[in-house]
Amino acid sequence: MSDRYLDFTNSSFGKTLAGMIGLPTPPRLKRASAPWAAQPLEGKYVLVGSSSGATLAAPLLRALSAAGAALRIIPEHAGLPPLKAAAAELKLSLHGNPAEGVGEARNHALVFDASGLSSPWQLRELYDFMQPVLRGIASNGRILLISRAPESAADIQARTASTALRGFIRSLAKEVGKNGTTANLVEVPTGADTAIDPVLRFFLSEHSAFVDGQVLPLALPQTANVALPGSLEGRIALVTGAARGIGASIAETLAREGAKVIGMDHPSAEGGLGETMAKIGGVGLALDVTAPDAAARIAEEVGKSFGGLDVVVHNAGITRDKMLRNMPPHFWDMVVNINLGAILKINEGLLKQGFNDGARVVCISSIGGIGGNAGQTNYGATKAGVIGYVDGMAATFAKRGGAINAVAPGFIETTMTAAMPFGPREVGRRINSLSQGGLPQDVAETVTFLASPAANAVNGRTLRVCGQNFFGM
Ligand code: NAP
């Protein structure tokens, strides 16, 4: 469903009118229209900064330069020594940030290495870096902080400082969303330094347009690093609920990156499934996720033509909303069986037979499982359960060189949300930092990133794709 308010306020008349009467103008987000590029930051300026004593400068600069970024610094900034030392070692040029209004291209991204923070007072280095340059960031820009996880801090002062970054980034994201800019924080454990390359590429590119205000703690990678572009080429991927909506978009995006997709959906959706699979050269499997033999049937069908599965996306999901006091038992059972029970049973079966070594699983949760919704005790329970499940299963998948993660979408423009009454739909769309609903593609881009073996330092996590929805923050 199209967002008429966004279209109107982005027309020249609409923009003027909205400005005159003080209405908000949701930005038009730039989304990816091509596969992961070798140099997604080519021709773009990235202003980098660091805290004194930062330890991630070398992998950070290496990744940015490999992605094609032109690197800028603020020459008088106090935290520069680690960046300068790393640039000298890597033989990279750092250019001074031009004064505002001198006609130079704006910065696409501001990236700050906060890994050296040792006390709350040192946060002042972050303020000194960000405060003067925020106005000069391009629309649809990116702000990214990288830091060490608070849990691994040497002492209480360092731990306090790195925890403070979470509040900083969530607040900053709410300030900069008006022009489509996102702000996120990645926490890197010692031992995962060189695994940040694909993570930076994702967060700094158009593939993450609706991922905002998030904190992503990385895990220790269990496998060698792999370049993101081309990493899904020839991989065998199963997507449940692939006939339409978010599932169809996930299937298309995985195929765009070179995966061979098996789309699975309820037998009643076979027609739609056939159409979606025909578009991407995929294979349809008409099967109910709750069928008692679902895992065995999947393993058998996939085994015949492809051997085993490298990727499984558990996307099939339903709502059956009613206040708990009025909820019939079959509403409860259907939602629990499809949204949660089927995921557990299918994975259990595929772990015995069906997954290749290194298999990566992505489950679809929801912000309804984080913030809760009146009338959705069944749905909220299942979507929160998914978050606990991926956390609890991470070690099992890591032992096999793979991973399991979840994506929690916010308000996404689908037939499900188009069916909402006008008032709640408009509110649902606007209560996030980007003042609009996401598209199925936004969820699909994040799922596809997590499905890639390049995301080898992301395991057991739930990443929200919600434009920083104000729900359950
Ligand atoms: P959708 O348009 O209703 O698509 C869901 C698909 O799953 C449908 O093709 C459906 O087939 C299929 N499905 C349902 N039950 C099945 C079963 N037992 N076995 C196999 N397939 C089954 O939903 P969507 O909006 O794309 O949502 C996809 C996922 O994202 C869900 O897990 C949902 O909870 C989650 N999510 C969506 C939003 C949003 O804003 N749309 C927000 C947060 C989370 P049928 O046609 O037969 O029903």
Side-chain angles (χ1 to χ4, degrees):
M1 185 176 191
S2 74
D3 183 341
R4 294 214 185 104
Y5 180 77
L6 186 147
D7 291 339
F8 175 69
T9 52
N10 276 278
S11 67
S12 56
F13 173 66
K15 199 170 263 174
T16 313
L17 187 68
M20 276 165 58
I21 54 179
L23 289 174
T25 307
R28 209 175 267 296
L29 300 184
K30 274 193 204 148
R31 294 182 164 91
S33 55
W36 295 323
Q39 295 212 303
L41 299 175
E42 196 181 1
K44 294 188 168 167
Y45 291 98
V46 175
L47 182 66
V48 279
S50 65
S51 55
S52 328
T55 52
L56 287 162
L60 171 65
L61 292 185
R62 197 179 292 115
L64 291 173
S65 137
L71 301 170
R72 284 175 169 166
I73 52 166
I74 303 170
E76 58 279 10
H77 186 249
L80 272 187
L83 277 178
K84 282 192 167 160
E89 189 191 318
L90 297 167
K91 300 189 172 36
L92 295 175
S93 312
L94 301 175
H95 305 280
N97 194 43
E100 233 181 272
V102 295
E104 279 257 14
R106 285 170 167 250
N107 292 314
H108 162 69
L110 312 178
V111 179
F112 189 84
D113 175 2
S115 60
L117 286 183
S118 58
S119 78
W121 296 276
Q122 209 191 337
L123 287 164
R124 178 62 196 261
E125 291 178 359
L126 173 62
Y127 167 87
D128 287 342
F129 171 77
M130 289 283 176
Q131 194 276 340
V133 294
L134 274 177
R135 281 199 188 86
I137 194 165
S139 63
N140 279 278
R142 296 284 182 268
I143 296 173
L144 191 65
L145 297 187
I146 52 172
S147 74
R148 294 297 184 194
E151 297 73 25
S152 67
D155 57 38
I156 191 62
Q157 291 207 4
R159 185 176 180 137
T160 307
S162 58
T163 311
L165 297 174
R166 296 175 177 177
F168 174 87
I169 206 72
R170 289 180 182 131
S171 300
L172 185 58
K174 289 183 178 171
E175 290 185 15
V176 297
K178 287 183 206 72
N179 78 346
T181 293
T182 63
N184 294 287
L185 165 64
V186 176
E187 295 175 347
V188 186
T190 314
D193 297 10
T194 57
I196 64 174
D197 178 297
V199 182
L200 291 185
R201 282 169 181 265
F202 175 70
F203 277 110
L204 297 180
S205 72
E206 294 171 351
H207 297 276
S208 64
F210 204 59
V211 182
D212 195 12
Q214 298 308 297
V215 177
L216 179 65
L218 298 187
L220 284 178
Q222 304 296 314
T223 52
N225 295 332
V226 173
L228 187 63
S231 58
L232 282 167
E233 199 63 53
R235 300 259 160 178
I236 310 301
L238 176 92
V239 182
T240 70
R244 62 161 198 243
I246 293 171
S249 188
I250 292 169
E252 285 163 17
T253 309
L254 285 166
R256 182 196 74 193
E257 298 300 334
K260 182 75 190 172
V261 177
I262 298 121
M264 178 168 147
D265 212 301
H266 198 268
S268 63
E270 205 170 355
L273 181 64
E275 281 170 34
T276 308
M277 290 303 112
K279 274 195 256 167
I280 59 169
V283 177
L285 176 58
L287 180 60
D288 186 330
V289 290
T290 63
D293 60 346
R297 286 275 312 279
I298 293 167
E300 187 191 327
E301 293 295 326
V302 173
K304 274 194 261 177
S305 314
F306 307 108
L309 287 161
D310 301 304
V311 172
V312 171
V313 183
H314 292 285
N315 162 77
I318 61 162
T319 49
R320 289 293 180 276
D321 299 351
K322 274 266 183 232
M323 293 298 182
L324 186 59
R325 58 180 175 268
N326 301 324
M327 188 181 288
H330 70 282
F331 270 31
W332 182 269
D333 291 342
M334 277 182 84
V335 171
V336 170
N337 291 340
I338 293 173
N339 294 8
L340 193 55
I343 300 179
L344 271 66
K345 285 190 180 161
I346 290 175
N347 283 347
E348 196 185 335
L350 294 178
L351 279 165
K352 288 183 193 136
Q353 192 199 342
F355 281 136
N356 288 331
D357 283 346
R360 298 186 64 88
V361 172
V362 187
C363 304
I364 305 299
S365 174
S366 166
I367 57 162
I370 298 169
N373 264 331
Q376 288 200 320
T377 49
N378 50 358
Y379 186 79
T382 61
K383 296 300 184 179
V386 163
I387 295 171
Y389 174 70
V390 300
D391 184 23
M393 288 297 285
T396 303
F397 280 86
K399 268 190 217 134
R400 304 164 63 116
I404 181 165
N405 292 287
V407 169
F411 183 101
I412 305 295
E413 303 284 357
T414 60
T415 44
M416 189 172 111
T417 46
M420 289 168 72
F422 174 79
R425 187 173 67 229
E426 258 318 285
V427 173
R429 271 181 178 146
R430 307 292 163 220
I431 53 161
N432 64 64
S433 297
L434 300 168
S435 318
Q436 59 198 286
L439 301 183
Q441 182 196 347
D442 297 320
V443 181
E445 293 285 359
T446 303
V447 168
T448 303
F449 167 66
L450 294 173
S452 162
N456 63 344
V458 192
N459 191 13
R461 306 302 186 217
T462 296
L463 195 49
R464 289 169 60 147
V465 181
C466 63
Q468 199 184 24
N469 196 295
F470 301 157
F471 220 54
M473 291 300 299

